[in-house]
């Protein structure tokens, strides 16, 4: 299926405080964000018209910008309301939501003190890639690129620049016939996939790497809470690369990926199992609750 280019679609995009026609949402080529990757973004999903964990995503967006040295010139309340309104403006109830903040055109050099900070929000339909066949799982290759140390890059920021590593890794994996790549960190320990966190089942317990140099994903935290609600043991720790073949189940967790089983990591094979299936069902039920119901559940 040919993808319709993103600049050849209709709808409305929120840009610096107002909605404009989708096709008019163009950026000047001499924008600092394009040349120096001085941008941060979010990836959110709306279910039944409610953006899941909206306040958490907006807070992370603002924090991502702060970690890159800029303040987004809108309150969190305004940003969240604009995300929600973008859905209604575009007539969508189940959708992916993409806010992005970037440095503008006022200065084009490594120094960017004079640049203005812009914010845009777009929404579009983007169902889970795996749909009904989800339990078959995805195949991951091993990335040769590693997640940088937290004193090498602001790794807690969802910064556009950090995705260069992800795109390189994903392209290499795709060229080898895999769907995504498993990334190690700068020490050689297990980190994450290119757009989702990773979980392993060892001896019936759920283990996930401590997020010291990658995003502590909102889905990751949600899945940990759901598992603990079911009295499952969840352990956050350093996971060595040579432990991977010992896992009985492996799954990914992220806003776009939701909860997705992993069928293989390079030569290691896994059979998606009961723990993954339970968490997929729990997550799918949770995201379709109202925000009030979600907070009442305390996950
Ligand atoms: N790691 C990376 C590199 C990601 O892009 C994402 C998706 N935002 C995640 C982890 C998972 O984060 P979340 O669950 O908050 O979407």
């Amino acid at each position: 299926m040919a993808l319709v280019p993103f600049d050849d679609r209709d709808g409305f995009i929120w840009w610096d405080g107002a909605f404009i026609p989708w096709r008019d949402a163009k950026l000047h080529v001499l924008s600092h964000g394009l040349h120096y990757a001085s941008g941060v973004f979010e990836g959110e999903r709306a279910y039944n018209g409610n953006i899941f964990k909206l306040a958490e995503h907006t807070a992370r967006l603002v924090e991502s910008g702060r970690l890159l040295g800029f303040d987004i010139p809108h309150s969190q309340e305004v940003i969240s309301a604009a995300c929600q309104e973008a859905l209604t403006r575009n007539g969508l109830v189940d959708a992916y939501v993409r806010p992005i903040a970037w440095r503008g055109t006022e200065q084009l050099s490594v120094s960017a003190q004079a640049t203005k900070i812009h914010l845009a929000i777009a929404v579009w339909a983007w169902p889970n890639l795996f749909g009904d066949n989800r339990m078959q799982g995805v195949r991951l290759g091993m990335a040769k690129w590693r997640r940088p140390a937290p004193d090498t890059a602001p790794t807690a920021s969802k910064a556009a620049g950090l995705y260069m590593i992800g795109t390189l890794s994903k392209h290499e994996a795709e060229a080898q016939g895999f769907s995504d790549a498993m990334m190690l960190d700068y020490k050689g320990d297990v980190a994450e996939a290119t757009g989702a966190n990773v979980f392993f089942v060892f001896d019936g317990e759920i283990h996930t790497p401590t997020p010291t140099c990658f995003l502590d994903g909102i889905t990751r935290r949600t899945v940990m809470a759901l598992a603990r609600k079911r009295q499952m043991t969840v352990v956050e720790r350093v996971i060595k690369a040579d432990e991977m073949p010992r896992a009985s189940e492996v799954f990914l967790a992220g806003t776009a990926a939701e909860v997705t089983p992993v069928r293989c990591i390079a030569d290691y094979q896994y059979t998606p199992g009961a723990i993954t299936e339970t968490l997929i069902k729990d997550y799918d039920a949770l995201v379709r609750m109202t925000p009030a119901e979600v907070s009442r559940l305390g996950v």
Side-chain angles (χ1 to χ4, degrees), residues 31-53:
S31 293
H32 196 275
L34 177 64
H35 293 245
Y36 297 94
S38 52
V40 297
F41 65 95
E42 264 310 310
E44 309 167 3
R45 262 190 195 281
Y47 301 88
N48 296 337
N50 295 312
I51 300 172
F52 183 64
K53 302 261 176 178

Side-chain angles (χ1 to χ4, degrees), residues 155-166:
T155 51
S157 173
K158 196 166 163 63
L162 287 167
Y163 282 84
M164 176 180 66
I165 307 166

